[in-house]
mmCIF file of all heavy atoms in Angstrom:
data_model
loop_
_atom_site.group_PDB
_atom_site.id
_atom_site.type_symbol
_atom_site.label_atom_id
_atom_site.label_comp_id
_atom_site.label_asym_id
_atom_site.label_seq_id
_atom_site.Cartn_x
_atom_site.Cartn_y
_atom_site.Cartn_z
ATOM 1 N N ILE B 254 133.997 -81.517 -22.823
ATOM 2 C CA ILE B 254 135.014 -81.570 -21.769
ATOM 3 C C ILE B 254 136.120 -82.537 -22.168
ATOM 4 O O ILE B 254 137.264 -82.421 -21.731
ATOM 5 C CB ILE B 254 134.382 -81.994 -20.408
ATOM 6 C CG1 ILE B 254 135.373 -81.848 -19.251
ATOM 7 C CG2 ILE B 254 133.870 -83.406 -20.433
ATOM 8 C CD1 ILE B 254 135.765 -80.454 -18.918
ATOM 9 N N LEU B 255 135.788 -83.516 -23.031
ATOM 10 C CA LEU B 255 136.788 -84.494 -23.475
ATOM 11 C C LEU B 255 137.856 -83.866 -24.367
ATOM 12 O O LEU B 255 138.845 -84.497 -24.702
ATOM 13 C CB LEU B 255 136.097 -85.647 -24.229
ATOM 14 C CG LEU B 255 135.100 -86.469 -23.411
ATOM 15 C CD1 LEU B 255 134.395 -87.478 -24.289
ATOM 16 C CD2 LEU B 255 135.797 -87.195 -22.282
ATOM 17 N N LEU B 256 137.647 -82.608 -24.731
ATOM 18 C CA LEU B 256 138.666 -81.908 -25.535
ATOM 19 C C LEU B 256 139.940 -81.684 -24.710
ATOM 20 O O LEU B 256 141.015 -81.537 -25.269
ATOM 21 C CB LEU B 256 138.106 -80.559 -26.008
ATOM 22 C CG LEU B 256 138.887 -79.826 -27.078
ATOM 23 C CD1 LEU B 256 138.871 -80.600 -28.380
ATOM 24 C CD2 LEU B 256 138.320 -78.431 -27.307
ATOM 25 N N GLN B 257 139.818 -81.652 -23.392
ATOM 26 C CA GLN B 257 140.948 -81.474 -22.466
ATOM 27 C C GLN B 257 141.729 -80.185 -22.741
ATOM 28 O O GLN B 257 142.870 -80.230 -23.229
ATOM 29 C CB GLN B 257 141.900 -82.681 -22.528
ATOM 30 C CG GLN B 257 141.246 -84.012 -22.332
ATOM 31 C CD GLN B 257 140.589 -84.165 -20.974
ATOM 32 O OE1 GLN B 257 140.749 -83.343 -20.089
ATOM 33 N NE2 GLN B 257 139.797 -85.202 -20.810
ATOM 34 N N PRO B 258 141.146 -79.026 -22.444
ATOM 35 C CA PRO B 258 141.791 -77.738 -22.759
ATOM 36 C C PRO B 258 143.190 -77.593 -22.157
ATOM 37 O O PRO B 258 144.080 -77.037 -22.804
ATOM 38 C CB PRO B 258 140.846 -76.699 -22.152
ATOM 39 C CG PRO B 258 139.580 -77.387 -21.902
ATOM 40 C CD PRO B 258 139.863 -78.835 -21.771
ATOM 41 N N PHE B 259 143.388 -78.099 -20.938
ATOM 42 C CA PHE B 259 144.705 -77.941 -20.312
ATOM 43 C C PHE B 259 145.771 -78.793 -21.006
ATOM 44 O O PHE B 259 146.926 -78.387 -21.089
ATOM 45 C CB PHE B 259 144.640 -78.277 -18.817
ATOM 46 C CG PHE B 259 144.218 -77.103 -17.994
ATOM 47 C CD1 PHE B 259 142.913 -76.990 -17.540
ATOM 48 C CD2 PHE B 259 145.102 -76.077 -17.710
ATOM 49 C CE1 PHE B 259 142.511 -75.888 -16.814
ATOM 50 C CE2 PHE B 259 144.711 -74.971 -16.980
ATOM 51 C CZ PHE B 259 143.404 -74.872 -16.531
ATOM 52 N N LEU B 260 145.359 -79.929 -21.521
ATOM 53 C CA LEU B 260 146.318 -80.766 -22.248
ATOM 54 C C LEU B 260 146.721 -80.067 -23.552
ATOM 55 O O LEU B 260 147.901 -80.065 -23.930
ATOM 56 C CB LEU B 260 145.703 -82.146 -22.538
ATOM 57 C CG LEU B 260 146.586 -83.137 -23.282
ATOM 58 C CD1 LEU B 260 147.888 -83.382 -22.549
ATOM 59 C CD2 LEU B 260 145.870 -84.468 -23.484
ATOM 60 N N LEU B 261 145.744 -79.455 -24.210
ATOM 61 C CA LEU B 261 146.043 -78.719 -25.451
ATOM 62 C C LEU B 261 146.996 -77.556 -25.162
ATOM 63 O O LEU B 261 147.967 -77.332 -25.902
ATOM 64 C CB LEU B 261 144.760 -78.174 -26.091
ATOM 65 C CG LEU B 261 143.702 -79.185 -26.517
ATOM 66 C CD1 LEU B 261 142.644 -78.512 -27.385
ATOM 67 C CD2 LEU B 261 144.321 -80.331 -27.282
ATOM 68 N N ALA B 262 146.710 -76.818 -24.084
ATOM 69 C CA ALA B 262 147.572 -75.684 -23.728
ATOM 70 C C ALA B 262 148.987 -76.168 -23.428
ATOM 71 O O ALA B 262 149.975 -75.557 -23.861
ATOM 72 C CB ALA B 262 146.991 -74.964 -22.511
ATOM 73 N N LEU B 263 149.074 -77.286 -22.729
ATOM 74 C CA LEU B 263 150.387 -77.836 -22.376
ATOM 75 C C LEU B 263 151.159 -78.246 -23.631
ATOM 76 O O LEU B 263 152.356 -77.958 -23.763
ATOM 77 C CB LEU B 263 150.192 -79.042 -21.458
ATOM 78 C CG LEU B 263 151.458 -79.774 -21.022
ATOM 79 C CD1 LEU B 263 152.350 -78.877 -20.195
ATOM 80 C CD2 LEU B 263 151.096 -81.013 -20.213
ATOM 81 N N LEU B 264 150.472 -78.908 -24.559
ATOM 82 C CA LEU B 264 151.138 -79.339 -25.797
ATOM 83 C C LEU B 264 151.621 -78.143 -26.606
ATOM 84 O O LEU B 264 152.737 -78.133 -27.131
ATOM 85 C CB LEU B 264 150.189 -80.199 -26.640
ATOM 86 C CG LEU B 264 149.877 -81.595 -26.093
ATOM 87 C CD1 LEU B 264 148.839 -82.292 -26.940
ATOM 88 C CD2 LEU B 264 151.145 -82.432 -26.039
ATOM 89 N N LEU B 265 150.759 -77.133 -26.694
ATOM 90 C CA LEU B 265 151.135 -75.925 -27.442
ATOM 91 C C LEU B 265 152.381 -75.280 -26.843
ATOM 92 O O LEU B 265 153.301 -74.879 -27.553
ATOM 93 C CB LEU B 265 149.978 -74.925 -27.422
ATOM 94 C CG LEU B 265 148.938 -75.106 -28.524
ATOM 95 C CD1 LEU B 265 147.758 -74.196 -28.276
ATOM 96 C CD2 LEU B 265 149.560 -74.802 -29.884
ATOM 97 N N LEU B 266 152.381 -75.215 -25.528
ATOM 98 C CA LEU B 266 153.531 -74.605 -24.857
ATOM 99 C C LEU B 266 154.787 -75.455 -25.034
ATOM 100 O O LEU B 266 155.879 -74.929 -25.262
ATOM 101 C CB LEU B 266 153.208 -74.465 -23.367
ATOM 102 C CG LEU B 266 153.921 -73.324 -22.673
ATOM 103 C CD1 LEU B 266 153.238 -72.020 -23.004
ATOM 104 C CD2 LEU B 266 153.899 -73.546 -21.175
ATOM 105 N N TYR B 267 154.599 -76.761 -24.969
ATOM 106 C CA TYR B 267 155.741 -77.663 -25.107
ATOM 107 C C TYR B 267 156.358 -77.571 -26.506
ATOM 108 O O TYR B 267 157.577 -77.488 -26.654
ATOM 109 C CB TYR B 267 155.291 -79.099 -24.814
ATOM 110 C CG TYR B 267 156.331 -80.128 -25.154
ATOM 111 C CD1 TYR B 267 157.466 -80.273 -24.371
ATOM 112 C CD2 TYR B 267 156.193 -80.943 -26.280
ATOM 113 C CE1 TYR B 267 158.436 -81.200 -24.686
ATOM 114 C CE2 TYR B 267 157.164 -81.866 -26.607
ATOM 115 C CZ TYR B 267 158.276 -81.995 -25.811
ATOM 116 O OH TYR B 267 159.242 -82.909 -26.137
ATOM 117 N N PHE B 268 155.491 -77.571 -27.521
ATOM 118 C CA PHE B 268 156.008 -77.537 -28.895
ATOM 119 C C PHE B 268 156.645 -76.187 -29.248
ATOM 120 O O PHE B 268 157.363 -76.083 -30.226
ATOM 121 C CB PHE B 268 154.891 -77.847 -29.897
ATOM 122 C CG PHE B 268 154.437 -79.279 -29.857
ATOM 123 C CD1 PHE B 268 153.094 -79.592 -29.795
ATOM 124 C CD2 PHE B 268 155.359 -80.313 -29.861
ATOM 125 C CE1 PHE B 268 152.671 -80.906 -29.753
ATOM 126 C CE2 PHE B 268 154.941 -81.645 -29.813
ATOM 127 C CZ PHE B 268 153.600 -81.927 -29.759
ATOM 128 N N ASN B 269 156.322 -75.169 -28.481
ATOM 129 C CA ASN B 269 156.817 -73.845 -28.820
ATOM 130 C C ASN B 269 157.730 -73.235 -27.760
ATOM 131 O O ASN B 269 157.866 -72.024 -27.674
ATOM 132 C CB ASN B 269 155.632 -72.906 -29.093
ATOM 133 C CG ASN B 269 154.859 -73.354 -30.307
ATOM 134 O OD1 ASN B 269 155.348 -73.252 -31.423
ATOM 135 N ND2 ASN B 269 153.684 -73.911 -30.109
ATOM 136 N N SER B 270 158.313 -74.083 -26.957
ATOM 137 C CA SER B 270 159.254 -73.580 -25.960
ATOM 138 C C SER B 270 160.459 -74.522 -25.881
ATOM 139 O O SER B 270 160.332 -75.720 -26.143
ATOM 140 C CB SER B 270 158.559 -73.509 -24.594
ATOM 141 O OG SER B 270 159.508 -73.338 -23.588
ATOM 142 N N ASN B 271 161.602 -73.989 -25.546
ATOM 143 C CA ASN B 271 162.770 -74.862 -25.452
ATOM 144 C C ASN B 271 163.339 -74.943 -24.032
ATOM 145 O O ASN B 271 164.410 -75.479 -23.821
ATOM 146 C CB ASN B 271 163.875 -74.408 -26.427
ATOM 147 C CG ASN B 271 164.134 -72.921 -26.285
ATOM 148 O OD1 ASN B 271 163.596 -72.308 -25.367
ATOM 149 N ND2 ASN B 271 164.920 -72.353 -27.176
#
Side-chain angles (χ1 to χ4, degrees):
Chain B
I254 189 67
L255 298 175
L256 192 66
Q257 307 298 351
F259 274 101
L260 180 57
L261 299 192
L263 178 63
L264 289 175
L265 273 172
L266 208 78
Y267 170 73
F268 290 132
N269 295 290
S270 166
N271 49 8

